[in-house]
Amino acid sequence: MNPMLSKELRQLAAPFGIVLAVAVAATAAVGNQAIEVAEPSFGGNDELRVLGAGFALAGATLGWHQFASERNRATESYLVHRDGGHAAAFRAKFVAAWIAFAIGIAALAVTFFARTWLLDVAAPVARWDSLGSAIWTACVIVPAHAAGVFTAQLRGSAATRTLGFFATAGGSLVLALLASRRFGDSGAASLGVYLPVLALTTWMWLALARRMFAEGDDPDLGYRKSLSLTSAGLVLLLAVPLVENVVSSYQRGLGTALEARRPVIVADPERRVLLAARDERGWRAVDPASGEFVGAELTGFRGRLFDQESPYALLHAHAATPLEWHGPAGDPSRLRVRDDAFSFAGSWQHLVLEGRGEWSAWIGSRDREVVAYRRSDDRLERVELARPDGRPFSERTAIVYGAGKEGSAGFLVDLADSTAWRFDASGARPVLEPLALPDGDRIVGVEQLQSISRARIGAFEPFGYSDRLAVRGERGLYVAVGEGLSSWTSGSVYVAPDDFDRHVEYRVTRVGGDRIAPLVAVTDAHDGRELLRHEFAPRGAVELMLTAAIRGLGLLRSPLVTGAGLALDDGTVRSAWLEWALHAARPWWFLHLGCVLLFAYDVHRRLAGAAFGTRVFWLAAALLGGLMGWAAFHALERRGHAEPARRDELAARVPLLVTA
């Protein structure tokens, strides 16, 4: 083995071994209980996002430690003067890290496999696809390690190095998250995009770090922090999405806390609309002007939207009743059936989920194959099921579940050829049997039924938020009941989409303000009378602080976001995540503009004498990126451009030896 590579592996053995032992122990203890079935990479669920963040942080920390430890031990100069010089030393370090990563991921995969197979009743589906998802997620450790190597080469204050560390490692993670989604589609991962993005990101960080390592290892030379404009642009490309993601997350969290303190809007049995909040005695009415409690307890009201027994109707509860769901029921986009692979998000979805000794059936969203499993104490049976007509399931296949207990049987409805199929395990071996609609009706689509509670307030739930589906035939609507499909009409719990408007009693709309301080109006859906108008302005010190924090975080975003918020404020209610971005700093636009102008002035002053292209780049970064562009300028660009070259400066200080 190459001596330099052997030396790097020995140095990694102890710290990496300890971390790996802890990770293996955790995997053996938990297994796949914390990993839901999801599409490859970590675009599928929160658990895999946490896993990706952990791997990214671990990789970045290791990359930084490999080079920082050499500098702390004062062995870096000795290292680069061995055979091969800078290139060999640099190559040995990242190759050793990659070998360690491969060993670690393989050890975790084997542990996961063994633990799942031995202990998990659902092992047949291996949740193997979950294992694949976790492995693809773990690949983010490679570009994150390269980012850590890059940040180890930065010189400057501790704040500069810390900012660079989290910006680059986190930027790699966010870029991988974005790459794991097909834009404009369901968000399912595309490995054809995900893996090349990881490879290109790794190459970029390693190329930057190698150049900086070769130039900056000599402690006698002042290190020049400036990067090429291309390199700086790539750093910004990763850092800005990271900051936007973090800011957005904190804004949503603070916004949720703010909305939880606000009163809700309810209607009493006499259809009088009032504000209500909860105190130690229960739910009581709130005076809109003063915010004080008035009157007696609202007997029977429990603050729930889906409460059919309460005499009070919950009309608006902020996040629980999103205003963006209030719109025309006939909007085609709300009634669509997804064109992507299946109408569920997971890689595997159950048709029938039974316990040990019984047949369970699962279907894969990518290959659209149905597999049945039965596991007893001593053996495992696996059967691949096919349609009796020999045709495969198309991409326009949906699962329609029955109205029974959670985990009840589901039927497959293939909209490509208007067929329905059910899983039958009554015989010696399970099979798929065709289903027919009553009276020879023909399947034409699948529709999502709407809750009667949401219908009363005009909130049309978009497709995908609920799994309560019905099959639309040419002559009626049908739901899964027992082992077949039965005719269905709107009832006391759910209503059909085409019957939605008939059940609307109230309209709740935002007529002014913004997401943070909305002005909400409630009108009678029958005669259009306005029953209540209330502005949810902050009240009290806590709400004022939460509001200020949300708007202050908006100042960290690009000024383009604030500008878009001003330009697009036409009263249209948009999605929550977009409104937190557009509305946060909008009332403080003058402050945001002033800060950006100060950033631009500081860049202009510090770059006196710099090349024209450098000045234009950093001015544009400050004007368009705001605080992030200005911070990147200070972290990556040296102050002043009229100084002599570094080696010439050192040579001028060294006395010359003159001999006769």
Side-chain angles (χ1 to χ4, degrees), residues 15-38:
F16 187 78
I18 294 173
V19 174
L20 181 60
V22 174
V24 167
T27 303
V30 179
N32 64 359
Q33 294 178 0
I35 302 178
E36 298 175 1
V37 176

Side-chain angles (χ1 to χ4, degrees), residues 647-655:
R647 297 188 183 274
D648 293 342
E649 179 182 349
L650 180 63
R653 299 199 304 265
V654 177

Side-chain angles (χ1 to χ4, degrees), residues 24-58:
V24 167
T27 303
V30 179
N32 64 359
Q33 294 178 0
I35 302 178
E36 298 175 1
V37 176
E39 296 289 354
S41 146
F42 50 101
N45 56 62
D46 293 335
E47 287 79 6
L48 288 178
R49 292 189 184 98
V50 172
L51 183 67
F55 272 99
L57 183 60

Side-chain angles (χ1 to χ4, degrees), residues 10-373:
R10 288 195 303 271
Q11 288 184 343
L12 286 179
F16 187 78
I18 294 173
V19 174
L20 181 60
V22 174
V24 167
T27 303
V30 179
N32 64 359
Q33 294 178 0
I35 302 178
E36 298 175 1
V37 176
E39 296 289 354
S41 146
F42 50 101
N45 56 62
D46 293 335
E47 287 79 6
L48 288 178
R49 292 189 184 98
V50 172
L51 183 67
F55 272 99
L57 183 60
T61 303
L62 179 61
W64 179 86
H65 171 76
Q66 282 183 291
F67 286 83
S69 61
E70 297 283 1
R71 192 172 301 118
N72 294 337
R73 295 194 302 264
T75 58
E76 188 176 35
S77 294
Y78 168 76
L79 179 68
V80 299
H81 285 90
R82 298 179 65 179
D83 292 342
H86 293 86
F90 190 82
R91 183 170 54 251
K93 285 186 176 294
F94 75 76
V95 170
W98 289 1
I99 292 175
F101 295 156
I103 294 173
I105 292 175
L108 293 174
V110 170
T111 305
F112 181 95
F113 181 93
R115 192 266 182 202
T116 301
W117 183 260
L118 293 174
L119 301 178
D120 196 344
V121 176
V125 184
R127 301 271 183 140
W128 310 142
D129 202 70
S130 294
L131 175 59
S133 300
I135 291 176
W136 297 129
T137 302
C139 289
V140 78
I141 197 173
V142 177
H145 168 263
V149 173
F150 167 79
T151 56
Q153 312 309 317
L154 289 175
R155 304 294 194 272
S157 65
T160 297
R161 295 195 301 272
T162 302
L163 174 64
F165 177 86
F166 285 104
T168 52
S172 297
L173 178 65
V174 172
L175 186 62
L177 172 62
L178 296 177
S180 71
R181 295 175 175 271
R182 287 199 296 264
F183 295 100
D185 205 330
S186 64
S190 173
L191 294 181
V193 176
Y194 177 67
L195 294 181
V197 167
L198 295 189
L200 288 173
T201 307
T202 302
W203 171 84
M204 180 195 75
W205 288 130
L206 289 180
L208 291 175
R210 183 179 182 277
R211 168 176 170 248
M212 298 170 72
F213 177 66
E215 290 186 359
D217 70 283
D218 193 337
D220 293 328
L221 297 178
Y223 185 75
R224 182 186 181 193
K225 289 193 297 182
S226 63
L227 302 175
S228 67
L229 297 186
T230 302
S231 303
L234 291 174
V235 172
L236 280 174
L237 184 64
L238 293 181
V240 170
L242 167 67
V243 173
E244 288 292 315
N245 187 63
V246 171
V247 168
S248 177
S249 299
Y250 276 103
Q251 282 182 323
R252 289 197 301 271
L254 292 171
T256 301
L258 178 63
E259 291 177 341
R261 300 182 60 87
R262 289 175 169 170
V264 299
I265 302 177
V266 300
D268 66 11
E270 286 76 33
R271 294 178 59 84
R272 292 176 299 191
V273 178
L274 49 90
L275 296 178
R278 192 171 186 173
D279 65 0
E280 63 278 1
R281 294 191 299 172
W283 287 92
R284 299 173 58 197
V286 173
D287 179 51
S290 64
E292 301 294 332
F293 288 104
V294 295
E297 178 184 356
L298 304 181
T299 305
F301 180 64
R302 291 181 284 270
R304 302 172 185 170
L305 178 63
F306 306 104
D307 191 348
Q308 301 293 323
E309 299 178 358
S310 174
Y312 295 88
L314 179 62
L315 306 185
H316 179 61
H318 308 287
T321 55
L323 289 176
E324 58 266 29
W325 290 5
H326 294 259
D331 185 352
S333 65
R334 297 173 181 267
L335 304 179
R336 79 192 193 312
V337 174
R338 295 181 178 181
D339 293 326
D340 58 315
F342 283 74
S343 60
F344 55 87
S347 295
W348 289 93
Q349 182 75 8
H350 74 271
L351 295 177
V352 178
L353 187 60
E354 299 291 353
R356 186 179 293 268
E358 302 292 336
W359 286 102
S360 295
W362 299 74
I363 184 167
S365 64
R366 289 186 300 279
D367 54 22
R368 297 179 298 282
E369 293 182 353
V370 181
V371 183
Y373 296 93

Side-chain angles (χ1 to χ4, degrees), residues 450-461:
Q450 297 294 316
S451 163
I452 188 69
S453 300
R454 293 198 189 280
R456 292 180 65 185
I457 59 176
F460 197 98
E461 188 176 34

Side-chain angles (χ1 to χ4, degrees), residues 393-456:
F393 285 104
S394 74
E395 293 185 353
R396 289 178 56 78
T397 301
I399 301 178
V400 177
Y401 289 105
K405 61 183 179 64
E406 184 179 356
S408 60
F411 301 148
L412 291 172
V413 179
D414 193 337
L415 300 180
D417 55 8
S418 299
T419 58
W421 306 85
R422 76 177 183 90
F423 175 75
D424 182 12
S426 59
R429 292 176 66 83
V431 295
L432 289 177
E433 290 189 346
L435 278 178
L437 296 184
D439 301 325
D441 201 354
R442 179 178 176 275
I443 297 174
V444 296
V446 173
E447 296 181 1
Q448 177 170 304
L449 301 181
Q450 297 294 316
S451 163
I452 188 69
S453 300
R454 293 198 189 280
R456 292 180 65 185

